Amino acid sequence: MPYLKNTEEQDKHQYSLIIMDSKNLTKEYTNGEVTIVWQSGKCIHAAQCVKNNPDVFKPKEKPWITPEGSSTEKIIETINKCPSGALTYYLNTQ
């Protein structure tokens, strides 16, 4: 559902229209070393993440991704098996 957001750059009577699509969310989760990026619109629910790393990917819990439950190496290995590309990652710089 769209909502209006006042922006500081604009006059106080002008608003930007922001459309949020609840079927295409992008969320990020980090363990400090790696950040997991999940794009809900790409997910085909193949459950490869859950099968390969159930300590991190727990679809019945909130948040459903808890990266502190596994090593960075295993997280990356699991993400690389995602068939839809819904899961990606980036390494955090110090």
Side-chain angles (χ1 to χ4, degrees), residues 16-52:
S16 297
L17 182 64
I18 299 174
I19 299 174
M20 296 175 52
D21 183 355
S22 64
K23 295 181 182 179
N24 192 20
L25 299 174
T26 299
K27 294 191 176 186
E28 295 187 350
Y29 308 84
T30 189
N31 68 0
E33 292 181 345
V34 66
T35 298
I36 301 167
V37 181
W38 177 62
Q39 297 175 67
S40 66
K42 290 184 177 181
C43 188
I44 60 171
H45 305 287
Q48 290 302 307
C49 55
V50 178
K51 293 173 189 166
N52 288 291

Side-chain angles (χ1 to χ4, degrees), residues 7-20:
T7 61
E8 293 179 9
E9 298 85 29
Q10 297 176 334
D11 180 271
K12 67 179 183 177
H13 298 289
Q14 295 179 341
Y15 294 89
S16 297
L17 182 64
I18 299 174
I19 299 174
M20 296 175 52

